[in-house]
Amino acid sequence: MNEPHEEQGQLILASEECPDELFERFHKFSSYDEQIIRKLIAHGPILLRGGRGSGKSALLLEAHKRLNTGESNVFSVYLSLRYLPLLRSKGEQYENIFCQLLINKINQKLSVLGLKSIELVSSPSVGTVQQELVYLSSRLSKRIVLFFDDAAHLGRETALTEFFDIFRTISSSTVSCKAAIYPGVTKFGIRFDVFNDATVIDITRDERLEYFAKFFTDVIKARAANLLTKTSRAFPEVDLPYFLGRSVVGNMRAFVFACNKLHDVERIGFPELTEMLLSLSADYYWPLLEELTPKLGIYEVMIEPSRLIAEKLFSFAGQSKTTSVIIHRDILQRYAKPMEILEYAGFISRREASRSMKSGGRGSRFSLNLCNLLESYPGRRVTAEIFESWVRDKVDPAEIHASSSALDVTMPDLPEDHDLTILSYDINQLKVSKAYPYGLTDRRIAVLRENDINTVGELTDASDEKLLSLETIGEKYLQRIRNVVGQAVWM
């Protein structure tokens, strides 16, 4: 991103924060993505599953935007569930807050359309909301599609049961619910049957699929076209997008960071690729685990096992000179939460859920990101041989069988309850930094302190009206505050 939008470009890494005028420019969708968008637009409940920065929000927003273009027989609503009271509640309290959020969002759109006369009745009851949605569909003579973003949070699984109960209850022949969730989410609740109550779509961009290279070529052309003119004769220009996409196991957010790392180099050859991979490992992936730590609630204690497992896993793969590993299902069950965290953070990406192993039994096959992998490869540098091997995917996966000690890690006990640590952090934590590239300025932080807003939690709880009443904070900076708080508290 080498234009005036460079600072915005850092911010736009989260699609829900992208201004409408830039969304179309910076978001490209492959033929595989188009299939997902069509399913999101069509009738029927959908759960869109993917890790951090994989593009879930972009797909939900694109489907929502298409349904709102021109004449349509669909009434579409997009609702981000980045709302702190939801994280802090469960049971009936969660349902009440959720229902009120949904009603407010629907009524807001009806008001914009000049349809205030048919606004929904304000009620915290799920049953009432269900009836109101059916009534609204009848009055509009349209089917209703509800897009729920940020429905899952790795640190608080207790409320997911309530969410899926609501998801199931309000779904009907005229109301379709679509939601974004993370890999490994298993607490669907006893009433929600994931195989019958929704279709689960994994968003992982698999390097083995035909569209993979073209998709990342299109993204580079949209965001950083100059990279394609910098490749050395050591490898074809067409291999660069594939290699960068494969390096980050298809993750869009990490891909943008990879492009940014190469933005100022004069020529892209093996030394530059080596520096980029090792830099992402040191400055993006490992710090990401630290960034996640205060957001995980009771699972905060799982960060250290996750880090140890990652070190052992990449060391094992590096010694085997492979880019993917099959892990026996017994080991995956033992380390379910750390593996979920690593998959969420983009260290690994599941490519096959169940595959037979030469050593016996079955396991899941994971692709490993090449950034952390290079740290464990002999020589720690990209050579022509390694580049060719990685681009052509010529190496068989290694296996970690049931009795292997390759990933042995002591698992801690979970506390019964633990609020998100990030909420107690001083607001200085939100200053501009590597973790928060679009963070708050010293001047604005001073203004917040003068008005008794000293912690992330206090800033999160502050109403828009209160913040707008403060000196130097207008609508534009209010949005910046909400964006940086969103990055700090949510995943």
Side-chain angles (χ1 to χ4, degrees):
M1 283 174 271
N2 48 2
E3 300 188 56
H5 305 297
E6 183 169 357
E7 182 182 355
Q8 284 182 299
Q10 299 284 352
L11 177 63
I12 291 167
L13 291 176
S15 296
E16 62 271 27
E17 298 159 1
C18 181
D20 288 342
E21 65 272 17
L22 295 178
F23 184 90
E24 182 177 352
R25 176 181 173 186
F26 286 129
H27 291 86
K28 302 297 177 182
F29 301 99
S30 68
S31 57
Y32 176 69
D33 293 330
E34 290 291 342
Q35 294 177 28
I36 296 176
I37 292 170
R38 286 196 291 272
K39 291 178 181 178
L40 290 172
I41 290 175
H43 187 67
I46 297 287
L47 295 178
L48 190 61
R49 182 165 57 195
R52 177 186 189 265
S54 58
K56 301 183 300 300
S57 294
L59 290 168
L60 292 178
L61 282 165
E62 179 66 14
H64 172 61
K65 288 176 183 293
R66 292 186 188 183
L67 287 174
N68 282 278
T69 301
E71 294 295 324
S72 173
N73 65 341
V74 177
F75 180 83
S76 170
V77 172
Y78 170 88
L79 176 61
S80 173
L81 299 179
R82 284 187 172 190
Y83 189 57
L84 188 58
L86 284 176
L87 283 180
R88 289 172 159 171
S89 62
K90 57 184 178 181
E92 185 177 350
Q93 183 184 24
Y94 178 95
E95 293 180 358
N96 293 347
I97 295 171
F98 182 98
C99 290
Q100 196 59 61
L101 280 175
L102 178 57
I103 288 172
N104 291 345
K105 190 69 174 182
I106 292 173
N107 287 343
Q108 179 184 0
K109 180 169 182 178
L110 289 172
S111 178
V112 170
L113 295 175
L115 299 172
K116 289 181 66 68
S117 62
I118 58 172
E119 286 184 353
L120 273 63
V121 175
S122 181
S123 170
S125 164
V126 177
T128 301
V129 170
Q130 179 193 31
Q131 294 171 7
E132 287 284 297
L133 288 172
V134 172
Y135 172 73
L136 178 63
S137 175
S138 175
R139 288 291 302 271
L140 294 173
S141 297
K142 295 182 177 184
R143 65 184 179 91
I144 296 174
V145 177
L146 305 176
F147 295 100
F148 298 118
D149 205 357
D150 299 300
H153 192 286
L154 286 180
R156 287 294 296 273
E157 289 185 340
T158 53
L160 292 182
T161 298
E162 285 81 6
F163 170 77
F164 289 117
D165 280 349
I166 296 171
F167 184 99
R168 178 180 181 273
T169 300
I170 65 178
S171 296
S172 69
S173 59
T174 57
V175 179
S176 298
C177 295
K178 326 285 180 173
I181 62 173
Y182 296 133
V185 172
T186 54
K187 293 189 177 181
F188 293 103
I190 59 174
R191 295 206 310 150
F192 190 91
D193 184 346
V194 68
F195 297 106
N196 292 315
D197 291 329
T199 299
V200 179
I201 300 176
D202 283 305
I203 195 180
T204 53
R205 293 182 174 85
D206 193 328
E207 61 275 1
R208 298 169 301 175
L209 299 181
E210 184 178 350
Y211 77 88
F212 189 88
K214 182 181 184 304
F215 170 74
F216 285 105
T217 300
D218 290 343
V219 174
I220 285 184
K221 287 179 178 178
R223 288 181 173 265
N226 65 320
L227 296 187
L228 297 177
T229 66
K230 295 181 178 183
T231 56
S232 73
R233 296 178 181 178
F235 56 88
E237 173 187 306
V238 294
D239 283 342
L240 179 65
Y242 177 91
F243 181 82
L244 295 181
R246 175 62 190 86
S247 297
V248 296
V249 288
N251 184 277
M252 274 305 304
R253 189 171 302 178
F255 180 79
V256 172
F257 276 106
C259 291
N260 288 345
K261 292 286 184 182
L262 296 172
H263 180 268
D264 294 325
V265 303
E266 295 183 2
R267 184 184 68 93
I268 301 174
F270 296 138
E272 290 73 26
L273 292 180
T274 296
E275 183 178 353
M276 179 273 294
L277 293 177
L278 294 178
S279 178
L280 275 182
S281 177
D283 298 336
Y284 177 75
Y285 283 107
W286 292 119
L288 180 54
L289 290 182
E290 297 177 13
E291 180 190 337
L292 289 178
T293 302
K295 306 179 184 184
L296 291 179
I298 64 171
Y299 296 112
E300 188 173 317
V301 296
M302 289 295 177
I303 285 294
E304 182 60 15
S306 300
R307 183 184 63 80
L308 293 174
I309 289 173
E311 290 176 351
K312 291 174 177 287
L313 180 60
F314 282 97
S315 176
F316 177 83
Q319 293 172 14
S320 304
K321 294 185 178 181
T322 184
T323 59
S324 67
V325 176
I326 304 174
I327 305 176
H328 195 277
R329 58 188 178 187
D330 290 351
I331 295 178
L332 293 178
Q333 185 174 3
R334 189 185 316 155
Y335 302 125
K337 181 55 68 172
M339 294 299 293
E340 178 183 339
I341 291 172
L342 292 178
E343 190 172 2
Y344 164 81
F347 282 76
I348 59 178
S349 184
R350 194 185 304 259
R351 293 292 182 252
E352 296 171 67
S354 181
R355 176 167 166 173
S356 61
M357 302 177 68
K358 297 176 183 177
S359 53
R362 303 191 71 83
S364 295
R365 187 178 74 84
F366 295 88
S367 279
L368 313 181
N369 82 60
L370 305 183
C371 307
N372 294 91
L373 183 60
L374 186 61
E375 287 186 321
S376 300
Y377 247 62
R380 288 170 51 96
R381 64 189 181 92
V382 179
T383 64
E385 179 184 3
I386 289 175
F387 183 87
E388 179 72 12
S389 172
W390 286 354
V391 169
R392 309 304 170 212
D393 196 22
K394 295 180 177 179
V395 184
D396 291 333
E399 292 188 356
I400 299 180
H401 50 80
S403 59
S404 172
S405 61
L407 300 184
D408 277 358
V409 169
T410 300
M411 294 289 284
D413 294 327
L414 290 176
E416 290 186 7
D417 194 18
H418 192 299
D419 201 5
L420 305 186
T421 304
I422 186 66
L423 299 177
S424 65
Y425 279 16
D426 190 277
I427 53 173
N428 274 334
Q429 182 75 22
L430 304 182
K431 291 174 64 173
V432 176
S433 64
K434 285 184 178 179
Y436 304 105
Y438 52 92
L440 306 183
T441 62
D442 289 334
R443 182 186 180 193
R444 271 27 179 263
I445 288 177
V447 170
L448 293 172
R449 288 195 187 283
E450 290 170 2
N451 290 273
D452 297 322
I453 299 176
N454 298 298
T455 67
V456 174
E458 290 170 349
L459 181 57
T460 305
D461 288 334
S463 67
D464 289 354
E465 291 75 18
K466 178 175 181 178
L467 294 176
L468 287 172
S469 71
L470 305 184
E471 183 184 0
T472 76
I473 296 179
E475 289 285 352
K476 184 175 181 180
Y477 206 84
L478 173 65
Q479 188 59 46
R480 178 167 179 167
I481 289 174
R482 291 308 184 204
N483 288 337
V484 73
V485 167
Q487 184 193 0
V489 177
W490 277 265
M491 316 301 283

